[in-house]
Amino acid sequence: MSIILDKVNYVYGEGTAYQTQALSDINLELKDGQFIGIIGHTGSGKSTLIQHLNGLIKATSGAIYFNGQDIYDEDFDLRELRNRVGLVFQYPEHQLFETTIFDDVCFGPKNQGLSKGEAGLRAFEALRSVGMPESLYYQSPFDLSGGQKRRTAIAGVLAMKPEVLILDEPTAGLDPAGRDEILDLIAAMHKERGMTVILVSHSMEDVAKYVERIIVMNQGRVMYDDAPKEVFRHYKELESVGLAAPQVTYLMHELKERGLNVNTEATTVLEAYESLLGVLRKGRA
């Protein structure tokens, strides 16, 4: 179900000496089933934006519609919205608080009004889907590694069966192998469940590899909103606001300048490999 933002503004500390315009005239439609990346430098408005999507923060002005309903209407059920639009914060320890992993994942479904048995079934299903070994289900979540905590936090949201899954820097602090595991897991869930996934990330490589649409935030505004290849064509403009294209894009441009007829629009390692392989084959022919 789509989420529509119509001229959304948000001001921190309104009416105080610390007043800051965090979001300015945001107009977006987040369509059902899309895999969307949101990028931007620190302070660009990324985290503020996503916290509006399930009503954790209320816009200073403007409207947000979920499935055609204004979430700021008096009779709108914000609790139901938060059940359907799940948010995994950057630091999973902020979401983990129960004595065992299993109890932690059960918390959301129980809060939805499900029985203990139904919540348990949801928890088992969610923990299996994120690849958590059953031997860990009854351990303390605080004894887990960073990647395991991340998986548990994601499972806790999945157990509520959301239609939209929002992840704020889900790979922060993980090593490369852990990062790939988490992102591959998210991509598989998107494909299998058809849910809308919104990924906030600082990694250009990650968004280039996984998402179909990139929203670039800068100073509380939408700077670009397009397919990855279209966004990364503007790599010089991205550099001017503290961002960049994937490293492979710079490599391909450098090779082009040195006379190789490579694809300068390559944004992933696989695309670069295929382009270079094509050049080498032509050279041998």
Side-chain angles (χ1 to χ4, degrees):
M1 298 184 182
S2 67
I3 301 174
I4 296 174
L5 290 82
D6 182 21
K7 297 179 181 177
V8 169
N9 290 273
Y10 184 72
V11 179
Y12 280 110
E14 188 174 22
T16 73
Y18 303 101
Q19 180 169 314
T20 304
Q21 185 83 30
L23 296 177
S24 299
D25 291 326
I26 303 294
N27 294 292
L28 289 170
E29 181 177 3
L30 309 177
K31 294 182 179 179
D32 186 33
Q34 286 190 321
F35 197 148
I36 301 167
I38 301 179
I39 63 175
H41 58 79
T42 301
S44 62
K46 305 186 302 297
S47 293
T48 302
L49 173 63
I50 61 172
Q51 290 181 64
H52 278 75
L53 302 182
N54 71 349
L56 287 179
I57 295 178
K58 184 176 181 180
T60 305
S61 64
I64 298 177
Y65 300 93
F66 180 75
N67 194 26
Q69 293 181 287
D70 188 337
I71 71 169
Y72 299 138
D73 283 348
E74 287 186 10
D75 60 348
F76 187 83
D77 189 346
L78 279 175
R79 181 175 176 177
E80 179 62 17
L81 174 69
R82 289 165 190 156
N83 287 336
R84 297 167 78 177
V85 181
L87 174 59
V88 180
F89 290 98
Q90 180 174 348
Y91 300 103
E93 54 270 24
H94 293 172
Q95 286 179 259
L96 306 177
F97 58 90
E98 290 281 8
T99 54
T100 71
I101 292 168
F102 187 76
D103 287 340
D104 209 292
V105 178
C106 282
F107 178 81
K110 284 181 179 177
N111 212 34
Q112 289 177 310
L114 298 184
S115 69
K116 183 177 179 180
E118 290 171 322
L121 288 173
R122 289 269 194 100
F124 273 119
E125 180 186 356
L127 285 165
R128 286 195 194 103
S129 74
V130 299
M132 285 292 287
E134 287 191 28
S135 59
L136 297 178
Y137 286 8
Y138 297 100
Q139 290 192 20
S140 168
F142 302 104
D143 293 335
L144 301 177
S145 69
Q148 290 170 332
K149 286 181 180 178
R150 213 62 53 94
R151 288 171 185 263
T152 302
I154 293 171
V157 173
L158 289 178
M160 300 170 70
K161 295 194 176 294
E163 296 164 22
V164 180
L165 178 64
I166 305 171
L167 304 113
D168 190 1
E169 297 284 358
T171 61
L174 300 182
D175 60 28
R179 184 184 70 202
D180 289 345
E181 285 179 4
I182 291 293
L183 291 173
D184 286 345
L185 167 69
I186 293 164
M189 288 190 300
H190 170 256
K191 184 177 181 180
E192 291 165 7
R193 302 187 180 206
M195 65 171 59
T196 305
V197 176
I198 300 172
L199 172 69
V200 176
S201 179
H202 276 96
S203 171
M204 302 303 107
E205 283 71 25
D206 290 347
V207 292
K209 181 178 179 181
Y210 292 98
V211 310
E212 63 192 85
R213 172 186 175 189
I214 296 176
I215 297 167
V216 182
M217 295 295 296
N218 181 49
Q219 296 183 345
R221 296 180 181 274
V222 175
M223 182 177 181
Y224 295 112
D225 178 6
D226 215 327
K229 288 187 186 305
E230 297 300 320
V231 170
F232 290 131
R233 279 180 181 157
H234 303 281
Y235 68 97
K236 293 292 186 184
E237 290 85 351
L238 293 175
E239 288 174 355
S240 71
V241 297
L243 298 173
Q247 292 180 358
V248 71
T249 300
Y250 293 97
L251 171 64
M252 300 303 272
H253 277 276
E254 186 172 338
L255 291 173
K256 184 81 169 182
E257 289 170 6
R258 296 190 180 198
L260 285 177
N261 188 27
V262 294
N263 175 19
T264 55
E265 293 188 356
T267 57
T268 67
V269 172
L270 179 60
E271 289 173 345
Y273 168 78
E274 290 174 345
S275 176
L276 286 167
L277 192 61
V279 170
L280 289 173
R281 283 173 174 165
K282 285 181 181 178
R284 289 174 183 171

Short mmCIF file of all heavy atoms in Angstrom, two decimals, residues 203-206 208 232 244-254 266-269 272:
data_model
loop_
_atom_site.label_atom_id
_atom_site.label_comp_id
_atom_site.label_asym_id
_atom_site.label_seq_id
_atom_site.Cartn_x
_atom_site.Cartn_y
_atom_site.Cartn_z
N SER A 203 26.17 3.67 2.50
CA SER A 203 26.98 2.93 1.54
C SER A 203 26.39 3.01 0.14
O SER A 203 25.33 2.47 -0.13
CB SER A 203 27.09 1.46 1.97
OG SER A 203 27.69 0.70 0.94
N MET A 204 27.11 3.69 -0.75
CA MET A 204 26.64 3.79 -2.13
C MET A 204 26.66 2.42 -2.81
O MET A 204 25.80 2.11 -3.64
CB MET A 204 27.52 4.76 -2.92
CG MET A 204 27.58 6.16 -2.35
SD MET A 204 25.97 6.96 -2.18
CE MET A 204 25.73 6.91 -0.41
N GLU A 205 27.66 1.58 -2.44
CA GLU A 205 27.73 0.23 -3.01
C GLU A 205 26.49 -0.58 -2.66
O GLU A 205 25.96 -1.31 -3.50
CB GLU A 205 28.99 -0.48 -2.51
CG GLU A 205 30.29 -0.04 -3.18
CD GLU A 205 30.74 1.37 -2.76
OE1 GLU A 205 30.35 1.82 -1.65
OE2 GLU A 205 31.45 2.01 -3.54
N ASP A 206 26.05 -0.46 -1.42
CA ASP A 206 24.88 -1.23 -0.97
C ASP A 206 23.62 -0.82 -1.72
O ASP A 206 22.87 -1.67 -2.21
CB ASP A 206 24.67 -1.06 0.53
CG ASP A 206 25.75 -1.76 1.35
OD1 ASP A 206 26.50 -2.57 0.78
OD2 ASP A 206 25.85 -1.47 2.56
N ALA A 208 23.40 0.73 -4.58
CA ALA A 208 23.53 0.42 -6.01
C ALA A 208 23.22 -1.04 -6.29
O ALA A 208 22.61 -1.39 -7.30
CB ALA A 208 24.93 0.76 -6.49
N PHE A 232 23.27 8.17 -10.00
CA PHE A 232 24.74 8.17 -9.96
C PHE A 232 25.38 8.82 -11.18
O PHE A 232 26.59 9.04 -11.20
CB PHE A 232 25.26 6.76 -9.74
CG PHE A 232 24.98 6.24 -8.35
CD1 PHE A 232 24.41 4.98 -8.16
CD2 PHE A 232 25.26 7.01 -7.24
CE1 PHE A 232 24.15 4.52 -6.89
CE2 PHE A 232 25.00 6.56 -5.96
CZ PHE A 232 24.44 5.32 -5.78
N ALA A 244 28.81 10.48 -2.83
CA ALA A 244 29.64 9.99 -3.93
C ALA A 244 28.87 8.92 -4.68
O ALA A 244 27.80 8.49 -4.25
CB ALA A 244 30.95 9.42 -3.39
N ALA A 245 29.45 8.49 -5.79
CA ALA A 245 28.93 7.32 -6.49
C ALA A 245 29.65 6.08 -5.93
O ALA A 245 30.63 6.22 -5.19
CB ALA A 245 29.18 7.46 -7.99
N PRO A 246 29.20 4.88 -6.28
CA PRO A 246 29.96 3.69 -5.89
C PRO A 246 31.39 3.76 -6.44
O PRO A 246 31.62 4.33 -7.52
CB PRO A 246 29.17 2.54 -6.54
CG PRO A 246 27.79 3.07 -6.68
CD PRO A 246 27.95 4.53 -6.98
N GLN A 247 32.33 3.16 -5.74
CA GLN A 247 33.73 3.23 -6.15
C GLN A 247 33.94 2.70 -7.56
O GLN A 247 34.78 3.22 -8.31
CB GLN A 247 34.59 2.46 -5.16
CG GLN A 247 34.67 3.10 -3.79
CD GLN A 247 35.53 2.33 -2.82
OE1 GLN A 247 36.06 1.26 -3.15
NE2 GLN A 247 35.67 2.84 -1.62
N VAL A 248 33.17 1.67 -7.93
CA VAL A 248 33.34 1.08 -9.24
C VAL A 248 33.02 2.08 -10.35
O VAL A 248 33.60 2.03 -11.44
CB VAL A 248 32.48 -0.20 -9.37
CG1 VAL A 248 30.99 0.13 -9.47
CG2 VAL A 248 32.92 -1.04 -10.55
N THR A 249 32.12 3.02 -10.09
CA THR A 249 31.78 4.04 -11.08
C THR A 249 32.99 4.92 -11.39
O THR A 249 33.28 5.23 -12.56
CB THR A 249 30.61 4.90 -10.58
OG1 THR A 249 29.48 4.06 -10.37
CG2 THR A 249 30.25 5.99 -11.60
N TYR A 250 33.73 5.30 -10.35
CA TYR A 250 34.94 6.11 -10.55
C TYR A 250 35.98 5.32 -11.33
O TYR A 250 36.67 5.86 -12.21
CB TYR A 250 35.50 6.55 -9.20
CG TYR A 250 34.62 7.52 -8.47
CD1 TYR A 250 33.74 7.10 -7.48
CD2 TYR A 250 34.63 8.88 -8.79
CE1 TYR A 250 32.91 7.99 -6.83
CE2 TYR A 250 33.81 9.78 -8.14
CZ TYR A 250 32.95 9.33 -7.16
OH TYR A 250 32.13 10.22 -6.51
N LEU A 251 36.11 4.03 -11.02
CA LEU A 251 37.07 3.19 -11.73
C LEU A 251 36.75 3.14 -13.21
O LEU A 251 37.64 3.27 -14.07
CB LEU A 251 37.05 1.78 -11.14
CG LEU A 251 37.85 0.71 -11.90
CD1 LEU A 251 39.34 1.06 -11.90
CD2 LEU A 251 37.62 -0.67 -11.30
N MET A 252 35.47 2.96 -13.53
CA MET A 252 35.07 2.85 -14.93
C MET A 252 35.30 4.15 -15.69
O MET A 252 35.71 4.15 -16.86
CB MET A 252 33.62 2.40 -15.03
CG MET A 252 33.33 1.06 -14.38
SD MET A 252 34.33 -0.29 -15.03
CE MET A 252 33.30 -0.82 -16.39
N HIS A 253 35.06 5.27 -15.03
CA HIS A 253 35.34 6.57 -15.67
C HIS A 253 36.83 6.72 -15.93
O HIS A 253 37.24 7.24 -16.99
CB HIS A 253 34.81 7.71 -14.80
CG HIS A 253 33.35 7.99 -14.99
ND1 HIS A 253 32.87 8.79 -16.01
CD2 HIS A 253 32.26 7.57 -14.31
CE1 HIS A 253 31.56 8.85 -15.94
NE2 HIS A 253 31.16 8.12 -14.92
N GLU A 254 37.64 6.29 -14.98
CA GLU A 254 39.10 6.41 -15.16
C GLU A 254 39.58 5.52 -16.30
O GLU A 254 40.42 5.94 -17.12
CB GLU A 254 39.81 6.03 -13.86
CG GLU A 254 41.31 6.27 -13.93
CD GLU A 254 42.00 6.07 -12.59
OE1 GLU A 254 41.33 6.17 -11.54
OE2 GLU A 254 43.23 5.83 -12.60
N ALA A 266 28.18 1.65 -15.12
CA ALA A 266 28.22 0.51 -14.21
C ALA A 266 28.25 1.02 -12.77
O ALA A 266 29.04 1.89 -12.42
CB ALA A 266 29.46 -0.34 -14.48
N THR A 267 27.39 0.45 -11.93
CA THR A 267 27.33 0.86 -10.54
C THR A 267 27.60 -0.29 -9.57
O THR A 267 27.70 -0.09 -8.37
CB THR A 267 25.96 1.48 -10.20
OG1 THR A 267 24.93 0.54 -10.51
CG2 THR A 267 25.75 2.78 -10.98
N THR A 268 27.69 -1.52 -10.11
CA THR A 268 27.98 -2.67 -9.26
C THR A 268 29.21 -3.39 -9.80
O THR A 268 29.58 -3.25 -10.98
CB THR A 268 26.80 -3.66 -9.23
OG1 THR A 268 26.64 -4.26 -10.53
CG2 THR A 268 25.51 -2.97 -8.82
N VAL A 269 29.83 -4.21 -8.95
CA VAL A 269 31.01 -4.97 -9.35
C VAL A 269 30.66 -5.91 -10.50
O VAL A 269 31.44 -6.07 -11.44
CB VAL A 269 31.57 -5.75 -8.14
CG1 VAL A 269 32.67 -6.71 -8.59
CG2 VAL A 269 32.10 -4.80 -7.08
N ALA A 272 30.50 -3.99 -13.75
CA ALA A 272 31.85 -3.61 -14.18
C ALA A 272 32.59 -4.82 -14.74
O ALA A 272 33.27 -4.73 -15.78
CB ALA A 272 32.62 -3.03 -12.99
#
